[in-house]
Every structure is written in C-alpha cells, then in structure tokens.
Amino acid sequence: MIIHGDCLTEMQRLIDEGVKVDAVVTDPPYHMISIVKRFGKKDSAEAKCAPFAKMSRGFMGKEWDGGDIAFRAETWELCFELLKAGGHLIAFSGSRTYHRMAVAIEDAGFDIRDQIMWIYGSGFPKSHNIGKKIEGLEGWGTALKPAHEPIVLARKPISEKSIAG
C-alpha cells in the first residue's frame, strides 16, 4: 500500500485506526542543510561562493532537505507504535548525518540490528578544489563526495529469545 501525505499525520491516522505493519522502509530528508547553520555564527551571511552556495541550500541544492524530522525520537516513536512486535525499520540516511538519525531511532525504543550500505556504482569519492575559483586558496579542497548511503536496520523488540518458531 502506498499512502501519499505527511508521514507524521498518516502514521498517526493508521495507529488510531488500529493498523499494525510488518515493516517500515523510509528515506527521510538527510538534513544536509546550510553549512552556515551547521558551522557558522548565528548571524553569518549566506554563502555565495561555489560549492558552498549550493551546500547552503541543502542536499544537492534542494530546500526540501531542511528541518530535523529524522533526528527527532518522536518521529521514530510513531514508526515503533505502528510496527508489530519484531517488525523491522529500514531508514536511509546521509553519510554525514547517519549518527544523529541512528541515535534518535535507538532513543525511540528500537534495537539497532545492523547498518546496510548503498554503494554507488558510478563515480569515485572526490574533493572539489575551490582554490581554482577563489584567489589565494589554491589547493584548498572540500570534503569527499560520498560514495555510499548508510541505512539503519532496526527491529522493534520481541519478548521471545528467538524469532524462529
């Protein structure tokens, strides 16, 4: 079943209707928003120099990547309540923000079972030399380009010692 709507509203609606599911698979925003917000001073100006200008607008320059929904335990508590005992959660994340999401999932009551990696088959990790565009900063590079996306594999605890019969 595919439901189109705000995930928090729709999960709460399903919970209120008594629905229980076997698994939740999600790819929430990675929150790779504004480097100014993450690293700058409170009143810092917006970045104007490439590639910082693009990074200041969110993942791949997209503003929908804002907010902190994946870092809030309340988000994952809804998933937890919606799942049957022993149900699994699979949640994609960005390489630089995975840890924040994994902690929020654990704080919601899930057992982190493992980490899966989505490895990109095209391209290699690389650094962009912004020194070519900024006078006086020759050889100054940015972070590596991620070549993977980490995925949280978590399970709602079960009372039995084994999931086998």
Side-chain angles (χ1 to χ4, degrees), residues 5 7-8 12-13 43 76-77 82 88-89 99 104 106 112 126 146 155-157:
C7 68
L8 302 177
Q12 187 61 60
R13 182 181 61 76
D43 297 323
W76 306 108
E77 287 167 0
L82 186 58
H88 284 84
L89 168 70
H99 62 290
E106 193 172 48
I112 304 292
K126 58 187 172 188
R155 183 175 71 193
K156 183 174 181 174

Side-chain angles (χ1 to χ4, degrees), residues 92-140:
F92 288 71
S93 185
S95 60
R96 291 176 290 207
T97 56
Y98 172 87
H99 62 290
R100 293 189 184 279
M101 187 178 77
V103 168
I105 289 170
E106 193 172 48
D107 288 348
F110 282 95
D111 292 331
I112 304 292
R113 304 299 294 165
D114 214 333
Q115 181 184 81
I116 303 169
M117 289 292 169
W118 183 290
I119 306 295
Y120 299 124
S122 61
F124 295 96
K126 58 187 172 188
S127 177
H128 296 283
N129 183 356
I130 65 168
K132 293 178 183 175
K133 298 188 191 288
I134 303 173
E135 188 175 333
L137 292 177
E138 192 62 37
W140 197 63

Side-chain angles (χ1 to χ4, degrees), residues 21-100:
V21 300
D22 295 306
V24 173
V25 179
T26 183
D27 190 4
Y30 293 175
H31 307 302
M32 297 170 77
I33 60 166
S34 181
I35 58 171
V36 172
K37 287 182 183 176
R38 290 180 70 203
F39 303 112
K41 295 178 183 172
K42 185 177 180 180
D43 297 323
S44 296
E46 183 178 326
K48 300 199 183 324
C49 167
F52 293 119
K54 184 176 180 181
M55 292 186 332
S56 72
R57 292 187 302 271
F59 179 68
M60 297 188 68
K62 307 297 182 191
E63 293 191 16
W64 54 258
D65 192 46
D68 66 348
I69 190 170
F71 304 156
R72 289 186 267 153
E74 299 83 27
T75 301
W76 306 108
E77 287 167 0
L78 285 171
C79 294
F80 189 90
E81 193 172 342
L82 186 58
L83 280 167
K84 296 175 185 174
H88 284 84
L89 168 70
I90 296 174
F92 288 71
S93 185
S95 60
R96 291 176 290 207
T97 56
Y98 172 87
H99 62 290
R100 293 189 184 279

